[in-house]
Amino acid sequence: MDAESPAGLNTYLTFRPASMPPPRRSDPPASPAVKRFLDSMMLTMAQWREGEGFDLEALRGLGNPEAAFILDTLLERLAGSGAGWREVDALAALGIPPVRYRLKNLVEHPMAEVRLRAARHLEAMGEAGAAEREIVRLLRDPATDIGAAALMMMAEAHPAERVQNALLECALDGADHLRVH
């Protein structure tokens, strides 16, 4: 069974022995790595402004129950209105089979920042054209809410003809905050 399919995802997350209940949101696994990661998710305003991410090193080598708990935590945050690139980066850093499936789902997320970051990670995992498709989609969307700097950096890194054409269209008919670039 493919671990990236919904059925494989459920198999991966529910293989715990029946006597061991899944971690509850109020009762995370008591490992130093999990605590370190959860602590890193509580950013100060200064850390947020500086663009500091979560402690991704803490995610390396987590056991399955811990990884499942962190996956659930990240998915819960990604479902909320405060979702952003930090959650997507942490999801990708988990390195467990369900990650690719979840990143593919995030390409349809309502927030452009999340979609673009998920597409970038999918491309790094071998999904050719994922970032390019999202760049073109965002450039052609006059109501996009993505920051100009992030989108232009991604466009510059993907100089394909269709991205260049979308940039030209954006210059004429794109979102107001993108047209100046």
Side-chain angles (χ1 to χ4, degrees):
M1 181 178 309
D2 182 8
E4 293 179 19
S5 70
L9 176 66
N10 291 337
T11 301
Y12 181 81
L13 294 178
T14 59
F15 75 96
R16 300 174 188 92
S19 62
M20 182 178 155
R24 296 185 319 252
R25 296 289 304 132
S26 60
D27 188 20
S31 95
V34 169
K35 181 175 178 359
R36 201 173 99 204
F37 178 74
L38 293 176
D39 288 348
S40 79
M41 292 176 76
M42 306 303 286
L43 299 172
T44 66
M45 185 59 79
Q47 290 171 314
W48 180 81
R49 271 194 215 115
E50 291 297 317
E52 288 186 31
F54 301 149
D55 184 355
L56 302 182
E57 282 300 311
L59 299 176
R60 309 270 187 257
L62 291 180
N64 289 327
E66 296 168 323
F69 175 81
I70 296 297
L71 177 66
D72 290 344
T73 301
L74 292 169
L75 293 176
E76 183 178 301
R77 287 178 64 126
L78 283 161
S81 61
W85 63 268
R86 291 172 179 90
E87 287 81 8
V88 179
D89 285 359
L91 180 65
L94 267 176
I96 58 175
V99 165
R100 184 182 294 242
Y101 172 77
R102 294 302 186 168
L103 287 171
K104 285 180 182 179
N105 288 343
L106 288 177
V107 173
E108 299 302 322
H109 195 276
M111 293 181 64
E113 173 186 23
V114 170
R115 290 193 312 265
L116 188 59
R117 201 64 163 225
R120 191 164 114 187
H121 284 294
L122 283 170
E123 193 161 283
M125 294 175 170
E127 293 277 330
E132 188 178 299
R133 281 189 300 277
E134 188 57 26
I135 292 164
V136 169
R137 175 178 163 179
L138 290 169
L139 286 169
R140 290 186 172 153
D141 180 3
T144 189
D145 63 346
I146 189 76
L151 186 55
M152 294 306 150
M153 283 177 24
M154 287 293 291
E156 186 177 350
H158 295 82
E161 184 177 345
R162 67 187 207 161
V163 171
Q164 291 174 359
N165 289 337
L167 277 166
L168 291 173
E169 291 171 22
C170 180
L172 297 173
D173 299 318
D176 289 340
H177 71 287
L178 297 178
R179 276 190 264 165
V180 298
H181 296 278

